[in-house]
Amino acid sequence: MFRRFRIAILLYILILVGGGAWLTSRDSTDWEEPLWVLVYPINADHSKASDSYIRNLESDRFAAIERFFSQQGRAYGLKLEQPVTIRVATPLFTFPPSPPRARNTLSVMWWSLKLRYWVWTIERRQIEPRADIKVFALFHDPKKLKYLPHSLGLQKGLIGVVHAFSAVHMSESNNVIIAHEIMHTVGASDKYDPKSGQPIYPDGYAEPKLNPRYPQSKAEVMGGRIPINSKEASIPWSLKQVTVGPQTAIEIGWLPGQ
């Protein structure tokens, strides 16, 4: 009986959290005011390298993301001078709930609610002002890990869970991942083949009208990679090699829908 009551209370809290997140995400793409992004650093591998990187992490490490949104927004006639403002939160020592292995609808919904509830508990304890978008950056020592786990961004709750490398020389490539997940939180969809990782033509290409089509010189932010040919693509090393395509601009409210 007590167990059922506890589950009912938990479900009630999750519904409240989910409802509040829906109201927040509904207003996130009017672009009338800058969206505040708070990056929560997490030492994902408990390494000394990640600990040192996090201790020296300042907001200016993410200035390239702010510039990227400003430059790309202006290209689409956005009047807001600085669409996003990024700050670094106090490091966390807890981890967000892991995504389910079985990607059926119910398990994903339950995980999404648990993640939003976890974020709610974090925000209740934090000393920083609440942000519009919360990015939980799990840092890994590149000497211990060759390939990063998959990152994700949720529009419901405006939450990003990003896996990044704890090395200064990889900060620019980390920013590419973070920008991609921030785009997800404001409504952008992936534009690459999940099996091959290859950008999907034409929306996943930075220059779909280029003739000849290959090689491309930039990556579309939601395409994720720079197409070299129809079967190969390279990872951009910084946001200087990334652009926002028209379809992504429509999805996030920078262009009117067609």
Side-chain angles (χ1 to χ4, degrees):
M1 187 72 178
F2 176 75
R3 183 172 179 272
R4 291 182 179 178
F5 177 75
R6 186 176 61 182
I7 292 174
I9 292 295
L10 179 60
L11 285 172
Y12 176 71
I13 293 172
L14 290 172
I15 291 170
L16 288 179
V17 172
W22 178 80
L23 290 173
T24 303
S25 62
R26 187 187 62 180
D27 298 329
S28 65
T29 54
D30 57 18
W31 302 107
E32 294 180 357
E33 296 181 356
L35 292 175
W36 283 82
V37 180
L38 201 55
V39 177
Y40 296 81
I42 301 172
N43 187 337
D45 56 7
H46 306 289
S47 68
K48 291 183 179 179
S50 296
D51 181 63
S52 176
Y53 185 86
I54 289 171
R55 281 191 284 106
N56 292 286
L57 191 62
E58 300 288 344
S59 297
D60 59 5
R61 192 68 57 82
F62 307 107
I65 302 175
E66 295 178 343
R67 290 195 299 271
F68 173 76
F69 273 84
S70 295
Q71 293 165 358
Q72 296 297 312
R74 281 198 301 271
Y76 286 102
L78 192 69
K79 295 181 180 179
L80 189 62
E81 185 175 341
Q82 186 167 327
V84 301
T85 299
I86 302 178
R87 294 293 180 265
V88 178
T90 303
L92 297 179
F93 298 95
T94 59
F95 292 77
S98 299
R101 292 183 179 180
R103 296 303 177 95
N104 60 71
T105 302
L106 286 178
S107 62
V108 171
M109 287 178 60
W110 180 243
W111 164 77
S112 175
L113 285 172
K114 286 195 297 182
L115 176 63
R116 280 179 274 166
Y117 175 71
W118 179 82
V119 172
W120 179 70
T121 63
I122 295 297
E123 287 190 308
R124 287 186 64 194
R125 299 194 302 265
Q126 74 184 32
I127 59 175
E128 296 88 0
R130 292 196 177 188
D132 300 301
I133 299 171
K134 287 75 63 176
V135 175
F136 299 90
L138 291 90
F139 288 101
H140 304 261
D141 183 353
K143 293 181 179 179
K144 294 186 175 182
L145 188 70
K146 188 174 182 181
Y147 299 105
L148 290 169
H150 185 68
S151 297
L152 56 91
L154 297 180
Q155 187 175 13
K156 292 181 179 179
L158 284 78
I159 301 165
V161 179
V162 173
H163 291 273
F165 284 122
S166 55
V168 174
H169 71 278
M170 304 185 83
S171 295
E172 290 297 320
S173 58
N174 288 342
N175 284 342
V176 175
I177 302 172
I178 294 171
H180 177 97
E181 301 308 338
I182 290 176
M183 282 287 182
H184 271 312
T185 69
V186 292
S189 62
D190 281 325
K191 295 171 181 64
Y192 61 86
D193 186 323
K195 294 182 179 179
S196 66
Q198 192 77 1
I200 298 172
Y201 183 84
D203 292 337
Y205 281 52
E207 301 174 284
K209 296 182 180 179
L210 186 67
N211 188 18
R213 185 178 298 174
Y214 305 105
Q216 298 269 311
S217 62
K218 289 189 175 184
E220 201 283 331
V221 65
M222 303 312 293
R225 297 188 181 190
I226 305 171
I228 298 171
N229 54 49
S230 61
K231 295 183 179 179
E232 295 178 290
S234 62
I235 298 173
W237 57 268
S238 88
L239 286 168
K240 294 178 181 178
Q241 294 182 292
V242 180
T243 190
V244 174
Q247 183 58 37
T248 297
I250 290 171
E251 291 170 350
I252 68 173
W254 285 1
L255 278 179
Q258 298 176 355

